[in-house]
Amino acid sequence: MTSNINRRSFCGVLLGAGALAGCGSISTPGRDVGGGHDPADIARYGARPDELYPLPATDISRVNRKWLRQAVAYDGYETPGTIVIDTQARFLYLVQEGGAALRYGIGVGKEGLAFEGSARVGRKAKWPRWTPTPDMIAREPERYGPYAGGMAPGLDNPLGPRALYLFQGNRDTLFRIHGTTEPLSIGRAVSSGCIRLFSQDIIDLYDRVPTDTPVVVIQDGEIDRRPAPEIAAAPYPAAEGGDYDRWEAEPARW
């Protein structure tokens, strides 16, 4: 099995860091609806009443199953524990032992396209505070201007329940991996933000990765996405398609 990743993007290039400080956008949490998905998928994205701000279930009824958290085969040379972000394909991989990875669907905002290369998780935060960038305020002053001084944590906060802050050495790249209040933005290019995951997925990723976890961000490559049935049973299903493509043809609203 041959990996198709373009290794040129592993150089550690930092582009346009000044535009990244306030990843996020504002909307409303998803409804508690499961649609026709497998019960295990519905449970995986269920409510989290134990959170500081009790988190409602994410509505995955109109989400293609490929964007849901699942185990896949992985043929890159990154060591287990590495996070690999493929912005074009809209996937984040947490590399596992034995040629496998956990794959998470992502939404990629404008700020998420301004960085590629190698970094590390320099800081982790539960229910983080969010501040929009000056560019975001200038672009949509009515939407973001009221939050110029920052937005307190909570269900309406665009960073969601968790955030991972990427550093190069001791320097904050201003690139974030975070949650979202817009579930249907997963799998999409969106107007603002860095790398956003479903709320339940960013909690899962946060719990799996420590500070100093290596991160590779790829802007122009591809990763082998063949399923790994031998991994599927523990505890995530193998990657596959789905019958939930209908929303992908709709205009983006974010």
Side-chain angles (χ1 to χ4, degrees), residues 83 115 117-123 164-173 175 177 210-217:
I83 292 173
F115 174 86
S118 300
R120 66 181 179 88
V121 176
R123 184 165 78 88
L164 305 177
Y165 300 78
L166 303 196
F167 283 63
Q168 288 183 322
N170 293 321
R171 179 167 56 94
D172 187 352
T173 68
F175 187 98
I177 303 169
T211 303
D212 291 328
T213 291
V215 181
V216 176
V217 181

Side-chain angles (χ1 to χ4, degrees), residues 27-95:
S27 186
T28 306
R31 295 175 294 115
D32 189 357
V33 179
H37 280 287
D38 184 277
D41 286 335
I42 297 171
R44 197 166 295 127
Y45 293 92
R48 299 289 298 266
D50 56 324
E51 285 289 322
L52 178 62
Y53 302 92
L55 188 68
T58 293
D59 179 3
I60 61 171
S61 62
R62 300 175 65 225
V63 176
N64 187 304
R65 191 178 177 281
K66 68 183 179 181
W67 303 123
L68 304 183
R69 186 191 336 152
Q70 54 198 280
V72 297
Y74 184 81
D75 194 29
Y77 55 64
E78 296 77 29
T79 58
T82 301
I83 292 173
V84 179
I85 300 171
D86 185 343
T87 60
Q88 286 195 1
R90 312 283 193 260
F91 289 123
L92 179 151
Y93 298 82
L94 178 59
V95 181

